[in-house]
């Protein structure tokens, strides 16, 4: 496990590599704050060397410069922040730059980072998160894979004993571990991660974190009339589950309900997917983010009560699969006509939302890899956020400040009429497929009590990435954990 330490930036650094930052200016590359000491130790040769190899300082650039024995550390990695002044250090740009540098260091066991002077806890947090997220590797299924070489990250600061900086490291380490655990779950194939094993993981990790855990099996789901979860999971030989995790600190300042979609694999059901099925092991990314977020909240000892309600099912094809035109009875007795079995996520989420709201929470956050419409509208880098307007905008602002890209989307009243069914209370997917992300959000809104602050975050695009950039490699990104934890901290009072 990689450790993170604060070291005195005025003292010589001994490591396998040292990371500094650069910026791109109107006249070329320039060294950012924190690099002056390294440049001085190299007798002013760092910037000329970077110019000689045509470094630009652009974002996601990492240029390696050997020190040729001039200092004890053999390698300098200059990570680009993008356009800006040398003294301007945006936390997310720093996070991405450090992550890019660490992704390119496969064999380094100890890395030092000299960016800024270490007096700003937000920058210390960004360096910590960028390093730990960038160092992530998923090698569980590679025969003979070597363990991650990185054992220690040293952050050069002016005052290593500063309490705020040390607290930033501790908090950021917990957050980064939650993101990386989410990535592990998303990257795990469905032959190992199914509703039963996923629920087992949630129970084991939840109890280890001191959470109260309840797991409803298929018999309990039938007694509770969770028709959406049962219908979606009915075609698989692995039965569905509903997991409930509760964190209840003393003197909690609010009660937050979390709901995450846990489709461990999505074939599309009888409306079989014709493209992209291989990525559908990631269709439980919302559930993974919710589980790891509540565990992190307990580790951070946030003074806010949190209950996670996580439906888990495999949408498979068999003689027991639910069918288009089936009518499902949901947890509250309402009926849903099934137009398309590949619109399954909203069915299990609706049941879970109904159960979560029985606890009378102060607010509700649900997240899911829900629609292809999200990818069409916003691509793979930005999540779509819907819900009650003021709470939606608050979540977007908090998530953006935490370094995740979110965009507010409208839920217009007129969309509800498109979900009218001639034979049931509501249909899961209308014939008109336009505005599909918003229509899915409107479906979920129908199951949220009037007046409750609620937000739905569609992470279909950013949850599973096809290319590496910044602190993200290919595969599971662990997206939305940082947003959820930022919201919980805000609701807890800071």
């Amino acid at each position: 496990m990689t450790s993170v330490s604060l070291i005195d930036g005025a003292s010589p650094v001994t490591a396998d590599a040292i990371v500094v930052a650069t910026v791109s200016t109107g006249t070329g590359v320039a060294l950012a704050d924190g690099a002056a000491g390294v440049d001085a130790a190299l007798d002013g040769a760092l910037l000329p060397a970077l110019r000689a190899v045509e470094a630009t300082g652009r974002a996601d650039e990492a240029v390696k410069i050997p020190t040729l024995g001039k200092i004890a550390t053999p390698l300098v990695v200059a990570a680009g922040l993008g356009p800006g002044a040398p003294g301007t250090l945006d936390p997310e740009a720093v996070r991405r730059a450090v992550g890019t540098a660490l992704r390119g260091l496969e064999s380094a066991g100890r890395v030092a980072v000299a960016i800024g002077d270490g007096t700003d806890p937000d920058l210390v947090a960004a360096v910590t998160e960028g390093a730990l997220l960038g160092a992530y590797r998923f090698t569980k299924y590679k025969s003979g894979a070597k363990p991650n070489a990185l054992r220690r990250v040293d952050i050069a600061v002016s005052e290593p004993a500063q309490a705020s900086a040390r607290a930033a490291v501790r908090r950021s380490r917990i957050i980064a571990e939650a993101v990386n655990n989410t990535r592990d779950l998303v990257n795990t194939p469905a032959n190992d991660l199914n509703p039963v094993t996923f629920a087992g993981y949630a129970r084991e990790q939840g109890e280890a974190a001191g959470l109260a855990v309840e797991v409803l099996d298929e018999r309990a789901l039938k007694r509770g009339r969770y028709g959406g979860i049962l219908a979606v999971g009915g075609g698989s030989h692995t039965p569905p589950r509903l997991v409930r995790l509760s964190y209840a600190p003393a003197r909690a300042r609010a009660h937050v309900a979390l709901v995450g979609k846990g489709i461990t694999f999505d074939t599309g059901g009888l409306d079989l997917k014709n493209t992209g099925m291989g990525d559908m092991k990631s269709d439980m990314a919302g559930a993974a983010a919710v589980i790891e977020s509540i565990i992190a909240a307990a580790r951070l000892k946030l003074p806010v009560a949190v209950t996670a309600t996580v439906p888990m099912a495999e949408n498979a094809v068999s003689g027991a699969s639910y069918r288009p035109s089936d009518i499902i009875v949901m947890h509250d007795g309402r009926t849903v006509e099934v137009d398309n079995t590949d619109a399954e996520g909203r069915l299990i989420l609706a049941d879970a939302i109904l159960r979560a709201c029985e606890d009378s929470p102060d607010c509700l956050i649900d997240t899911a890899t829900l629609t292809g419409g999200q990818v069409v509208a916003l691509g793979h880098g930005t999540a779509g956020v819907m819900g009650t307007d003021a709470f939606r905008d608050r979540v977007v602002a908090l998530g953006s400040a935490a370094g995740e890209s979110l965009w507010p989307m409208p839920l217009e009243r007129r969309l509800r009429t498109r979900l009218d069914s001639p034979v049931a209370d509501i249909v899961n997917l209308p014939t008109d497929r336009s505005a599909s992300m918003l229509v899915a959000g409107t479906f979920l809104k129908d199951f949220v009590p009037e007046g409750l602050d609620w937000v739905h975050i569609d992470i279909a695009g950013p949850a599973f990435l096809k290319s590496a950039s910044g602190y993200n490699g290919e595969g599971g990104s662990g997206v939305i954990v940082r947003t959820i934890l930022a919201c919980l901290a805000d609701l807890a009072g800071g």
Side-chain angles (χ1 to χ4, degrees), residues 384-417:
V385 187
M386 293 144 272
T388 51
D389 291 350
F391 190 52
R392 176 201 62 199
D393 293 345
R394 182 180 179 186
V395 170
V396 168
L398 289 166
S400 299
E404 296 192 307
S405 180
L406 303 98
W407 196 256
M409 303 297 292
L411 291 182
E412 300 177 355
R413 292 181 182 274
R414 63 180 178 81
L415 294 175
R416 177 57 183 84
T417 58

Side-chain angles (χ1 to χ4, degrees), residues 27 36 71 96 98 120 131 137 142 196 218 228 235 238 274 312 321 356 389 437 440 465 476 493:
T27 57
I71 59 176
R96 287 183 61 89
V98 174
D120 184 350
R137 306 286 186 274
K142 284 186 172 290
V196 173
E218 61 271 33
T238 306
N274 55 20
M312 300 174 177
S321 296
D389 291 350
M437 172 173 51
L465 303 175

Side-chain angles (χ1 to χ4, degrees), residues 133 174-184 477-479 481-482:
L133 297 179
I174 291 172
I175 293 171
E177 288 177 356
V179 173
N180 284 340
N181 289 340
T182 302
R183 289 167 161 180
D184 279 347
S477 67
V479 71
V481 168
R482 286 182 287 150

